Amino acid sequence: MKIVIAPDSFKESLSAPDVAQAIARGWLAVYPDAEIALCPMADGGEGTVDAVLAATGGERRELRVQGPLATPVQAHWGWLGDGTAVIEMAAASGLHWVPSAQRDARVTSSYGTGELIRAALDAGATRIILGLGGSATNDGGSGLLRALGARFLDAGGNELRPGGAALATLQRVDLSALDPRLQDVQVDVAADVDNPLCGPHGASAVFGPQKGASPEQVKELDAALARLAEVVGEALGEDFSAFPGVGAAGGLGFAAKAFFGARFRPGIELVAELSGLAEAVKGADLVITGEGRLDAQSLHGKTPVGVARVAQAQGVPVIALAGSLGEGYQQVREAGIEAAFSLAPGPITLEHACANAAQELQARAADLARFWRLAQAARR
């Protein structure tokens, strides 16, 4: 019997490798001789580096960088043996670095993410996988570009303050000192959204409120990003603001597309490719996946559905374990997930659920294995 375990992380609770290990313990308690293939997954957001390193045996590197509010934070990135660097912008510029009372999307900066890219270039990277998600910023990637040598100037030739709001007075982008090594690096953006930079479906309108922006500030930020798109378009001779996905991570996707020529792919596809998920699924009897919350939104680029597509292509059934099952979760069956189960043993608080996620995962996996054994016996 071969079981592939390919979950995402359970946010604020367990990393994807920890989730996979807990499920494996539960299954092995019932089937101690089962062949278990652990393939922790991610969709480009927080946890992407750890998932890739767990699957590939790459090296985790630490770097002290500038956080979203310019205070130092300890970030990390991944180095693979083939010259590939894996960076998740949340590690340096994520919302978790900003206390709720200090969240202000007008001033937060993606500078630290640029520092991670610079470290990857210093290491000799020939390919950078940049995961977008969980950002605290709405600066169109201008902070990232500053860290790599670009300058954003007003009409008087003065450098703008950090943050998205200051872009409203942008007059010129000086690229004369932009790191030339970027021209020799392939950048792949891992994102699970297709938002443009501006407008009602853009970075500010859709993601600004969760970063502390009021309705009036959303309008201010949207206008500032529109100004950034206008100036960059004039400088580069092309308007990148409507490209699907450039609104990801507060418009950091825009900087990656316009200045790095980045290729955009669903994060789960990139992580599955790096981790060899398709190869692991070959000959499997069952795939178990999961995430913290499974609902209708899981259809839009989330890990369980991405895993199910890989398994479905090889005719392998998929079952999902989730912290909770939200509205419309039944729709994931259309994507190849045969059944989904919640971890909650009854009415419990979120704090209790997060603190006991590993135990509940193990218990639910053991229950699933027992049910599987019963189903196999009924077929004989």
Side-chain angles (χ1 to χ4, degrees):
M1 174 189 298
K2 179 181 179 181
I3 307 298
V4 175
I5 302 176
D8 201 339
S9 63
F10 279 36
K11 300 297 186 289
E12 299 183 32
S13 180
L14 295 173
S15 68
D18 288 338
V19 172
Q21 289 283 359
I23 294 173
R25 288 194 298 271
W27 192 274
L28 290 171
V30 180
Y31 283 106
D33 297 327
E35 177 187 350
I36 303 291
L38 301 182
C39 295
M41 291 285 115
D43 57 18
E46 188 175 351
T48 295
V49 169
D50 287 338
V52 171
L53 295 184
T56 63
E59 177 186 347
R60 180 185 172 102
R61 298 188 175 184
E62 303 281 336
L63 185 68
R64 196 113 174 121
V65 301
Q66 189 179 112
L69 293 176
T71 53
V73 300
Q74 191 69 20
H76 64 275
W77 59 287
W79 178 252
L80 309 187
D82 63 354
T84 298
V86 184
I87 295 171
E88 58 186 59
M89 72 92 59
S93 312
L95 193 60
H96 64 280
W97 288 122
V98 184
S100 298
Q102 298 179 38
R103 290 179 181 174
D104 187 344
R106 296 172 300 171
V107 300
T108 46
S109 168
S110 58
Y111 190 93
T113 302
E115 291 181 284
L116 292 182
I117 291 177
R118 192 170 64 213
L121 295 174
D122 290 342
T126 55
R127 182 190 185 197
I128 294 175
I129 295 174
L130 181 59
L132 305 187
S135 78
T137 61
N138 204 99
D139 68 352
S142 57
L144 175 152
L145 292 166
R146 288 176 196 262
L148 294 168
R151 299 175 67 222
F152 293 79
L153 310 173
D154 63 17
N158 304 303
E159 192 137 7
L160 300 183
R161 300 185 310 278
L167 295 170
T169 59
L170 179 65
Q171 186 67 30
R172 184 169 66 90
V173 180
D174 179 0
L175 302 175
S176 61
L178 186 66
D179 198 317
R181 296 174 295 179
L182 291 165
Q183 299 176 13
D184 301 318
V185 176
Q186 174 186 317
V187 177
D188 291 319
V189 166
D192 62 359
V193 301
D194 58 4
N195 305 75
L197 183 64
C198 304
H201 303 292
S204 306
V206 176
F207 306 112
Q210 64 191 243
K211 302 170 187 180
S214 67
E216 285 304 312
Q217 290 169 351
V218 164
K219 295 177 182 177
E220 176 188 0
L221 288 166
D222 189 58
L225 289 183
R227 179 58 185 166
L228 172 66
E230 180 182 4
V231 173
V232 170
E234 292 173 354
L236 301 182
E238 185 175 354
D239 181 5
F240 295 93
S241 63
F243 188 88
V246 297
L252 193 145
F254 171 77
K257 182 63 179 176
F259 294 93
F260 307 158
R263 303 184 305 185
F264 283 64
R265 291 180 59 189
I268 180 58
E269 284 187 10
L270 274 170
V271 175
E273 178 184 288
L274 288 169
S275 64
L277 179 62
E279 185 65 28
V281 168
K282 287 182 180 177
D285 296 283
L286 176 68
V287 173
I288 302 175
T289 186
E291 64 179 345
R293 179 178 175 83
L294 196 69
D295 55 27
Q297 290 301 310
S298 299
L299 292 169
H300 302 288
K302 298 299 184 181
T303 291
V305 169
V307 169
R309 289 186 179 127
V310 173
Q312 194 173 38
Q314 301 190 40
V316 180
V318 179
I319 292 177
L321 297 177
S324 64
L325 300 175
E327 185 176 354
Y329 83 89
Q330 298 90 341
Q331 296 177 39
V332 301
R333 295 172 188 154
E334 302 169 10
I337 296 177
E338 299 291 342
F341 301 93
S342 169
L343 300 188
I348 56 175
T349 65
L350 177 61
E351 292 75 18
H352 178 86
C354 290
N356 295 278
Q359 297 95 308
E360 296 300 341
L361 274 165
Q362 182 173 336
R364 220 59 62 232
D367 288 341
L368 180 57
R370 293 186 184 95
F371 186 78
W372 181 266
R373 184 171 60 186
L374 180 64
Q376 298 306 303
R379 292 174 59 184
R380 297 191 185 103

